[in-house]
């Protein structure tokens, strides 16, 4: 009886051991299979997603003069996205992305749109697509403000991903929820950065307006200088302007136009029926006009 119990116990131990080994092997196989599929998915969209992110970055104004702080933020934002959609592969893909920030390359939007539609639209779920768009918004705001070109690009990519306009708006709301929750760094610091962008933009506009007014004033003064300096011209040049009937401030086009108009008025053929004397006077007048024009053009 004791021997029988002993054999039963041994048998149970062997069964349990084999069962554990079997479960472990099956689990290992499943895990390996899942990771293989995961890597395949990552490779399928690898270049396209990176191209999407780089396209947003390239639309950042004055990217070449931005400090390392902005570019480091871009790297962090990309890493969060890659980590969410690709897990272990995130670090490698982030490094590739970061290396391309300073490279002189152009992303063709039409080609990018086509690749997104072909490689991502039907092969990945909403969560994957959402993370891409959220990261695009984060990258656009890395310097403080998303430009109209960046917003337009996000809209194009959203459509290429197969997302509706309403859905894209919801994803933008998700981005702001994460932003305010501190998922992309200190929100207060972001607000300061954004306010600084608006201040810089206002300053840039003010500088442009100032430069525009300065040029207008300069042109006005230049014109006035020409008008007031008529008496300082040589007698020959004064006479030339008088012959054409124009001011020294006249532009080259105005001078040419006036010469053409006068020559048309005093063309000798117009006086062919008024006798030789009138033809001679018209001819002399035309010669005087041409001579005056030549003098003026030499001194313009």
């Amino acid at each position: 009886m004791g021997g029988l119990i002993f054999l039963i116990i041994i048998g149970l131990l062997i069964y349990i051991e084999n069962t554990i080994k079997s479960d472990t092997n099956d689990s290992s196989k499943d895990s390996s299979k899942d990771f293989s599929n995961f890597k395949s998915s990552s490779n399928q969209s690898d270049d396209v997603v990176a191209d999407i992110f780089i396209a947003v970055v390239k639309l950042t104004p004055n990217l070449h003069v931005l400090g390392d702080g902005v570019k480091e933020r871009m790297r962090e934002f990309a890493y969060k996205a890659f980590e969410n959609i690709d897990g272990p592969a995130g670090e490698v893909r982030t490094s590739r992305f970061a290396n391309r920030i300073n490279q002189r390359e152009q992303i063709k939007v039409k080609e990018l749109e086509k690749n997104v539609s072909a490689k991502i639209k039907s092969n990945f779920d909403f969560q994957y697509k959402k993370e891409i768009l959220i990261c695009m918004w984060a990258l656009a705001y890395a310097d403080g403000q998303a430009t109209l070109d960046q917003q337009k690009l996000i809209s194009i990519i959203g459509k290429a991903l197969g997302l509706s306009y309403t859905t894209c708006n919801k994803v933008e709301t998700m981005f702001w929820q994460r932003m305010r929750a501190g998922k992309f760094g200190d929100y207060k610091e972001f607000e300061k950065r954004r306010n600084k962008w608006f201040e810089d933009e206002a300053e840039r506009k003010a500088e442009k307006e100032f430069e525009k007014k300065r040029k207008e004033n300069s042109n006005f003064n230049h014109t006035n200088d020409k008008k007031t300096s008529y008496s300082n011209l040589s007698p020959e040049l004064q006479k030339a302007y008088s012959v054409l009937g124009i001011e020294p401030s006249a532009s080259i086009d105005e001078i040419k136009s006036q010469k053409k108009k006068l020559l048309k008025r005093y063309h000798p053929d117009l006086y062919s029926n008024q006798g030789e004397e009138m033809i001679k006077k018209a001819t002399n007048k035309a010669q005087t006009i041409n001579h005056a024009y030549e003098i003026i053009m030499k001194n313009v």
Side-chain angles (χ1 to χ4, degrees):
M1 184 66 178
L4 180 61
I5 293 174
F6 177 76
L7 290 175
I8 291 173
I9 291 173
I10 293 298
L12 285 171
L13 290 173
I14 293 173
Y15 172 77
I16 291 172
E17 183 179 2
N18 289 336
T19 300
I20 292 174
K21 285 182 179 180
S22 176
D23 290 344
T24 302
N25 289 336
D26 290 342
S27 176
S28 176
K29 288 178 181 178
D30 290 341
S31 175
S32 175
K33 181 180 179 181
D34 288 343
F35 184 68
S36 175
N37 289 337
F38 165 79
K39 287 176 65 179
S40 176
S41 297
S42 297
N43 290 336
Q44 184 179 21
S45 63
D46 191 3
D47 293 337
V48 182
V49 176
D51 285 347
I52 291 172
F53 293 168
I54 286 295
V56 179
V57 169
K58 295 297 182 181
L59 290 175
T60 301
N62 302 314
L63 178 64
H64 62 291
V65 298
L66 290 177
D68 293 335
V70 174
K71 295 173 183 178
E72 183 58 31
R73 276 196 296 274
M74 290 175 172
R75 188 189 188 287
E76 291 175 4
F77 297 161
Y79 176 69
K80 289 179 186 296
F82 285 133
E83 187 180 38
N84 286 334
I85 63 181
D86 286 337
E91 185 62 42
V92 175
R93 297 183 69 183
T94 302
S95 296
R96 294 176 186 169
F97 162 81
N99 289 335
R100 294 174 63 187
I101 289 180
N102 292 319
Q103 291 180 4
R104 294 187 176 182
E105 62 174 305
Q106 292 182 339
I107 303 297
K108 297 180 180 179
V109 176
K110 286 292 183 183
E111 184 177 331
L112 179 60
E113 184 181 6
K114 182 179 178 181
N115 288 337
V116 170
S117 182
K119 297 183 179 181
I120 300 179
K121 181 179 179 180
S122 301
N123 298 317
F124 295 92
D125 59 15
F126 171 72
Q127 183 67 22
Y128 191 95
K129 298 172 184 177
K130 179 192 76 174
E131 295 299 332
I132 291 175
L133 286 190
I134 287 178
C135 186
M136 290 182 75
W137 281 113
L139 290 169
Y141 277 103
D143 67 329
Q145 178 66 16
T147 65
L148 291 177
D149 286 338
Q150 288 172 323
Q151 294 176 42
K152 184 177 179 180
L153 177 65
I154 293 173
S155 178
I156 291 172
I157 297 303
K159 186 176 180 180
L161 289 170
L163 303 177
S164 67
Y165 177 79
T166 302
T167 300
C168 288
N169 284 341
K170 289 181 179 179
V171 173
E172 183 182 355
T173 300
M174 293 177 191
F175 157 73
W176 282 111
Q177 289 173 342
R178 287 192 189 182
M179 178 65 82
R180 293 188 179 94
K183 301 295 184 180
F184 294 101
D186 186 347
Y187 183 69
K188 289 184 178 180
E189 191 275 334
F190 165 75
E191 284 288 278
K192 290 180 181 178
R193 187 165 69 245
R194 197 177 183 196
N195 290 335
K196 179 68 166 55
W197 187 92
F198 281 116
E199 289 173 3
D200 290 343
E201 183 66 10
E203 188 175 335
R204 283 192 290 269
K205 288 182 178 179
E207 287 178 356
K208 286 182 180 179
E209 188 64 25
F210 175 80
E211 184 63 19
K212 180 181 177 182
K213 289 183 178 180
R214 188 191 67 77
K215 287 182 178 180
E216 289 176 351
N217 291 334
S218 176
N219 291 336
F220 177 76
N221 292 333
H222 182 62
T223 298
N224 284 343
D225 288 343
K226 274 194 168 184
K227 289 181 178 178
T228 56
S229 63
Y230 186 93
S231 59
N232 296 327
L233 299 176
S234 66
E236 183 183 44
L237 197 53
Q238 287 184 33
K239 183 179 179 180
Y241 277 110
S242 178
V243 168
L244 293 188
I246 56 175
E247 294 288 341
S249 60
S251 66
I252 292 178
D253 287 339
E254 289 172 336
I255 296 170
K256 290 181 178 179
S257 177
Q258 182 68 358
K259 170 208 167 188
K260 186 176 180 181
K261 183 168 66 174
L262 291 174
L263 287 178
K264 187 176 181 180
R265 182 187 301 171
Y266 294 100
H267 197 284
D269 290 344
L270 296 176
Y271 302 90
S272 58
N273 296 327
Q274 299 184 32
E276 291 292 326
E277 186 66 19
M278 288 301 295
I279 293 175
K280 187 176 180 179
K281 286 183 178 180
T283 301
N284 290 336
K285 184 65 175 179
Q287 291 175 346
T288 301
I289 292 169
N290 281 322
H291 182 61
Y293 173 79
E294 291 173 1
I295 292 173
I296 291 173
M297 292 305 292
K298 287 179 181 179
N299 290 273
V300 171

